[in-house]
Amino acid sequence: MNSLFTPNRRRGKLIVVEGIDGSGKSTQISLLSQWLRSKGFAVAFSEWNSSPLVHDTTRRGKKKEMFTPTTFSLIHATDFADRTERYILPLIRAGAIVCADRYAYTAFARDVARGVDPQWVRNLYSFAIRPNVAFYFRTPLDVALGRILGGRNALKYYEAGMDLKISRDVEESFRVFQGRILAEYEGMAEEMGFHVIDATLSIEEQQRQMRAIVLKEIGRSLKSGVLKVPELEFNGKH
Ligand SMILES: Nc1ncnc2c1ncn2[C@@H]1O[C@H](COP(=O)(O)OP(=O)(O)O)[C@@H](O)[C@H]1O
Ligand SMILES: [Mg+2]
């Protein structure tokens, strides 16, 4: 894979999913982690923007629309550093499989779509652990938008890229912003060694492909090395 990031020399593994909103990442990583759990592995989850450290600041900054592209990028990097040092790294050291719903590539795509310098944001995340497997869900913009706009009500200010003043129309702004993000992902796919999944396929077919890729990439570690959860605990009987 690429030379960005810190190599993972630990027993545990890191699997990440990337793609634009509505590409099916959460659906697929949830199925993948259930499968790995059913095989008895210790699996943990880490979601983008979920660190308690900057939670309140992020909420306040979003509510008052105070973020600039640079401060927004830095607060996400702080969130990411906190999750890396306090959660992801200790779990990987212990031998767990960490599944991340969005990873540093999300910052590379979104922050650059906001006008942040690509090299600057890559340097910012150089402490990140290199994933063992990184999936990218390739989705035409209209398919992803259809899934998102069909199932939800209001698009949020930053989510729609309203801070960029692309358009006063939220849906139009969202479309343009997501299009830019998509272009960034496409530009990164080869450089970053993404395993590209055609996200227009059925949920089952995508999951079948993902499991095959996981077995090919980390199958040996799954035979020995990766932490197994004791049966009792695994059944939820503590
Ligand atoms: N392969 C698929 N075909 C059709 N709809 C899908 C597919 N995968 C996911 N969806 C639906 O699309 C929506 C977005 O999926 P989700 O997994 O939340 O995407 P993301 O996490 O990438 O935003 C959900 O309503 C989900 O049920
Ligand atoms: Mg999601």
Side-chain angles (χ1 to χ4, degrees), residues 20-24 139-153 155 159-160 170-182:
I20 56 173
D21 288 340
S23 59
T139 329
L141 197 53
D142 283 335
V143 172
L145 292 175
R147 289 181 190 166
I148 288 288
L149 302 174
R152 276 198 343 202
N153 16 15
L155 290 165
E159 182 183 38
V170 184
E171 218 172 290
E172 174 61 14
S173 175
F174 184 71
R175 176 181 291 274
V176 173
F177 185 48
Q178 293 293 316
R180 285 188 195 171
I181 295 171
L182 182 59

Side-chain angles (χ1 to χ4, degrees), residues 82-95:
D82 186 48
R83 287 187 295 118
T84 299
E85 290 173 357
R86 296 171 64 90
Y87 186 77
I88 297 174
L89 196 49
L91 282 160
I92 288 176
R93 279 198 192 109

Side-chain angles (χ1 to χ4, degrees), residues 69-128:
T70 310
T71 58
F72 208 27
S73 180
L74 287 169
I75 202 130
H76 280 121
T78 306
D79 177 281
F80 189 91
D82 186 48
R83 287 187 295 118
T84 299
E85 290 173 357
R86 296 171 64 90
Y87 186 77
I88 297 174
L89 196 49
L91 282 160
I92 288 176
R93 279 198 192 109
I97 301 172
V98 178
C99 292
D101 193 339
R102 295 187 171 282
Y103 201 63
Y105 311 104
T106 285
F108 302 167
R110 271 193 198 157
D111 295 352
V112 172
R114 282 207 155 81
V116 167
D117 180 74
Q119 201 52 54
W120 181 87
V121 69
R122 279 162 176 71
N123 289 342
L124 191 57
Y125 282 84
S126 59
F127 63 85

Side-chain angles (χ1 to χ4, degrees), residues 7 17 24 33 65 77 81 86 131 134 156 158 167 171 183 197 214-215 231:
V17 290
S33 65
E65 299 171 7
R86 296 171 64 90
K156 295 181 197 132
Y158 284 101
S167 165
E171 218 172 290
I197 302 288
V214 165
L215 288 176
E231 194 89 25

